[in-house]
Amino acid sequence: MESNDFYITISLPISTNEQISSIEHLIIDHSCAIDELFAITSYTPHLHRLKLLSLTDRNVNIRNIKPMILPNLTHLSMHIYSITSFTIFQKFISKLNSKIKILSLTTIVEDITYLDADRWESFILTKLLQLEKFYFKYSAYFAENYETPVYIGQRDQFISSFWLQRQWILDIEFEFENIIYSIRPYRKRWYEYDTQKTMINSSDKLSKSIRLSLDDLYPEQSTKTIYLNDYINYALTLAQIYHLEIHAKIFCNKLMEILHLLPDVITLKIFSLSILQRGDLSDDEIEFLCILLPKNQIRKICFENMEDMDELYMLLLICPRINHLQIQCVNYMHAELLTGLILIEIKGVSNSLLGLLCFSIPEAHDEMIEKLEKMIDRENLRFDFIIKHVMDKIYLQWK
């Protein structure tokens, strides 16, 4: 195309019966307006799967578009990057006349109505009755001199019985200049080790499944006026946070600041904790810690890249109620060394609540259990415990 022809649009007429295609799986990986899509799909009534990588509304009055006849369409994946509002999206779905079973929707359109869980519930119960799996992603953009739309509805709508019964779970992630809200089917998480075979996906546990993932801990380095606490407070307008994952090395004072803002967190997954030596806290940090400790509810911790035992000692100081500790190990020798050090530490603490150790080891096998048992006997660390091997993990549990 010549550059001056870039905006030329060639309309496709609605198909006739002689022009029907047998296509069942269609991917449109360029910008496509709603009226154009309706024309295209008039040629493909046998579609089972449809993927749209950039759907636009192009200011077309969707009411003037005739319904699409796609009786076999069960999988729909959509990316919306333009001005398509939630209202337009609802009208579009209503025009499909399909029995959608799997819906995936990604949008960066800042129509805050996309986060209205009650409106989603009403829409799904009336227009998407066959829906089995729902994948949804909404991005809120943060930048200097930019007013990000704020959710002002009732908090925790995404843990109503409608969402819990379907096991569609809300996740929140902070990514460079964006807060990303995701809804997806529930999947088992690292902290769910169930020795009593109880239902780990019960409604009570699912109602406290909302997770926050942090990648950028210091947004002020690029934005200057927007801080991490601004992101956290924004996210808290939609939902309470119960699980925290930090995918970068973090200083103790920063971790305590985050935990102070998130008093309901019960599990923590952390990449690495930056400290100088055991007990290395300033007077201000000690005072802050005394305020934080009574409110801290964290019971389970996972270390992805623990470089020094002092990191663990400090984390046990910050989170004294921990009863489940998981550590990513390089190999078996790493796990054996940590087992000895941790058990010795526990024997010296009369009121320790820790009762489960989990080591994630590449190529873990049953022989490692025998070696650990011999090491515990050899070091005279024997007490009533159970060792299990599950996939790539070794579990050591005691009363």
Side-chain angles (χ1 to χ4, degrees), residues 12-15 26 28 30 32-45 47 50 68:
L12 184 69
I14 300 297
S15 72
L26 177 62
I28 302 179
H30 55 77
C32 181
I34 292 176
D35 56 330
E36 294 172 328
L37 176 65
F38 277 65
I40 292 171
T41 55
S42 69
Y43 293 82
T44 58
L47 274 186
L50 176 61
M68 300 168 67

Side-chain angles (χ1 to χ4, degrees), residues 21 23-30 32 36-37 40-44 46-53 68 70 73 75-77:
S21 167
I23 291 174
E24 295 183 357
H25 191 175
L26 177 62
I27 301 174
I28 302 179
D29 64 351
H30 55 77
C32 181
E36 294 172 328
L37 176 65
I40 292 171
T41 55
S42 69
Y43 293 82
T44 58
H46 302 295
L47 274 186
H48 286 268
R49 297 169 179 259
L50 176 61
K51 185 172 184 177
L52 309 168
L53 294 184
M68 300 168 67
L70 298 172
L73 184 65
H75 294 61
L76 177 62
S77 176

Side-chain angles (χ1 to χ4, degrees), residues 255 268 270 301 303 311-319:
L255 176 60
L268 171 64
I270 187 171
I301 293 177
F303 255 118
E311 296 179 48
L312 177 58
Y313 296 142
M314 183 60 68
L315 206 53
L316 291 176
L317 177 63
I318 297 173
C319 308

Side-chain angles (χ1 to χ4, degrees), residues 173-191:
E173 180 181 1
F174 295 174
E175 201 174 75
F176 182 69
E177 294 188 333
N178 287 281
I179 296 181
I180 302 173
Y181 298 95
S182 301
I183 298 287
R184 59 172 66 94
Y186 169 83
R187 294 179 63 182
K188 187 176 179 180
R189 295 178 178 173
W190 66 267
Y191 51 82

Side-chain angles (χ1 to χ4, degrees), residues 266-309:
I266 55 178
T267 74
L268 171 64
K269 187 175 186 179
I270 187 171
F271 178 75
S272 181
L273 188 63
S274 182
I275 59 174
L276 296 178
Q277 56 185 324
R278 186 174 182 178
D280 183 55
L281 288 175
S282 68
D283 291 341
D284 289 341
E285 288 171 335
I286 292 174
E287 184 178 353
F288 192 14
L289 185 58
C290 291
I291 297 173
L292 178 65
L293 285 180
K295 299 179 180 179
N296 191 310
Q297 301 297 318
I298 294 175
R299 299 292 193 276
K300 301 180 181 182
I301 293 177
C302 176
F303 255 118
E304 292 186 291
N305 186 37
M306 189 178 75
E307 299 174 351
D308 192 284
M309 275 296 293

